Amino acid sequence: MDQLSAMHTFRRVVDLGSFSAAASQAGVSHTVLSRQVKNLERALGTQLLTRTTRRLHPTEAGLLFYRHCVLILDQVQAMTLELSEHQLQPTGTLRLSVGSAFGDLELGRWLPDFVEQYPHLHVELNCTDRFVDLLEEEVDVCLRVTDHLPDSSLVARLLTPSPVLLVAAPGYLERQGSPSTPEALSTHPMLGYSRLQQPQRLTLSAADGSRRDVLMPRRLSANSPMALRAAAIGGLGIASFDRFIVDDALRDGRLVPVLRDWHLPGRNLYAVYPHSRYLAPKVRALIDYAQQYYATTRWGCD
């Protein structure tokens, strides 16, 4: 029995919670992986996994063995990478996941320069607003603008704050009037992001610590930030956006801020990646580049 191969299999099965998911990721049959784990249990003289109808769970011995597998396999990977001369420069395929609006509006500003710096690196880009399971989908890095961190099995490195603000088209405010207080928002239609549970409910705060909860009537909801941006520019109502989504429209006057003295809770841009004792050169290169780029404030507040 190939001990390292069996350890890889066991770690993958525990990480993904099932033989089927692990087999799909490894590109082999369920039977092959199941046999490897059974041979491993026979060689160690102990049961490593308990099987339920929905998921696999490591036994107490299995959990201990899993921890040693992680340590040993990470050390082997680190040794292999350090001894491979070609890995001194990032090579291979970097699987990068970003939100759809971030991919449309931000990546073009810096990703071409990053790619030019590393000619032996191939970037496989996935733009999606759905939840991405980095381990199951074998994603190396995920860049996400969010107001909450992922679970503890992932590493999240803060890149830059992402201000959130209310905006509308000048033509809309000329027709409907510009609200001067948070309460006045209740008479204006909200263009809401449908992936949020209550997109029409806002919490605003002022510099003196005052807070207001506002419920706006819904006029249009969409699961695409870019569609909502187009609707706002078209004058359909008031909307809240991360600053990077509307930065160019604010600068050229297609959109203007609403209630400048009141602020929505901000969010942050994170680089999220699986935890590992050794960070692959391709992942480190992307994260370091993005962190350096966003060290300079990119999304100001007017």
Side-chain angles (χ1 to χ4, degrees):
M1 178 179 64
D2 184 337
Q3 189 82 0
L4 280 179
S5 176
M7 291 168 67
H8 273 294
T9 294
F10 179 73
R11 180 180 181 180
R12 181 179 286 116
V13 169
V14 172
D15 284 340
L16 298 179
S18 75
F19 281 110
S20 297
S24 177
Q25 186 184 93
V28 298
S29 71
H30 176 290
T31 304
V32 170
L33 297 194
S34 180
R35 185 182 302 118
Q36 274 190 300
V37 173
K38 287 181 180 178
N39 290 339
L40 191 59
E41 290 178 323
R42 188 178 300 112
L44 295 173
T46 186
Q47 183 178 354
L48 298 176
L49 295 172
T50 58
R51 299 158 175 82
T52 66
T53 56
R54 300 187 65 180
R55 192 170 177 87
L56 297 172
H57 299 276
T59 63
E60 184 176 353
L63 188 58
L64 177 62
F65 183 68
Y66 173 81
R67 290 170 181 161
H68 284 291
C69 283
V70 170
L71 290 174
I72 293 169
L73 294 174
D74 283 354
Q75 288 174 351
V76 170
Q77 181 188 34
M79 176 191 68
T80 302
L81 292 175
E82 288 176 359
L83 293 178
S84 300
E85 183 177 354
H86 76 278
Q87 284 289 353
L88 293 176
Q89 288 294 322
T91 61
T93 299
L94 175 69
R95 295 177 177 87
L96 173 63
S97 177
V98 301
S100 59
F102 193 88
D104 287 343
L105 299 170
E106 273 296 300
L107 285 188
R109 302 179 187 276
W110 57 266
L111 189 61
D113 181 66
F114 171 78
V115 172
E116 286 187 7
Q117 285 191 27
Y118 300 103
H120 301 294
L121 186 64
H122 168 71
V123 177
E124 187 176 291
L125 180 62
N126 177 30
C127 297
T128 178
D129 293 321
R130 66 174 177 80
F131 171 80
V132 175
D133 188 321
L134 274 66
L135 292 173
E136 184 170 351
E137 299 180 44
E138 296 186 279
V139 173
D140 295 305
V141 186
C142 180
L143 298 182
R144 278 292 184 269
V145 177
T146 182
D147 55 5
H148 64 276
L149 292 172
D151 65 75
S152 58
S153 67
L154 302 173
V155 179
R157 183 180 297 185
L158 175 63
L159 298 180
T160 188
S162 177
V164 179
L165 65 163
L166 287 173
V167 298
Y172 169 83
L173 297 177
E174 290 173 6
R175 296 191 310 271
Q176 304 297 331
S178 183
S180 57
T181 65
E183 291 75 15
L185 290 172
S186 62
T187 64
H188 290 267
M190 180 67 176
L191 310 179
Y193 186 48
S194 59
R195 290 180 179 270
L196 299 177
Q197 287 187 342
Q198 293 183 308
Q200 76 278 21
R201 187 177 296 278
L202 304 176
T203 298
L204 297 101
S205 59
D208 63 2
S210 303
R211 290 168 58 90
R212 298 287 190 278
D213 290 321
V214 179
L215 186 64
M216 298 177 64
R218 286 191 294 179
R219 184 175 192 181
L220 171 72
S221 59
N223 65 354
S224 163
M226 297 302 290
L228 289 177
R229 168 189 148 109
I233 292 174
L236 291 184
I238 295 176
S240 67
F241 290 103
D242 288 280
R243 172 66 192 246
F244 80 89
I245 296 178
V246 292
D247 190 65
D248 60 337
L250 288 167
R251 294 184 186 280
D252 64 24
R254 286 176 293 165
L255 293 172
V256 295
V258 174
L259 290 177
R260 290 174 179 267
D261 295 332
W262 291 84
H263 306 283
L264 292 166
R267 308 203 298 169
N268 293 299
L269 170 64
Y270 293 96
V272 183
Y273 51 96
H275 178 76
S276 174
R277 292 188 63 191
Y278 185 84
L279 198 59
K282 61 183 181 180
V283 176
R284 185 180 301 277
L286 187 281
I287 294 173
D288 288 348
Y289 186 96
Q291 190 159 46
Q292 182 178 3
Y293 178 84
Y294 288 108
T296 300
T297 301
R298 301 290 173 175
W299 311 317
C301 289
D302 296 332

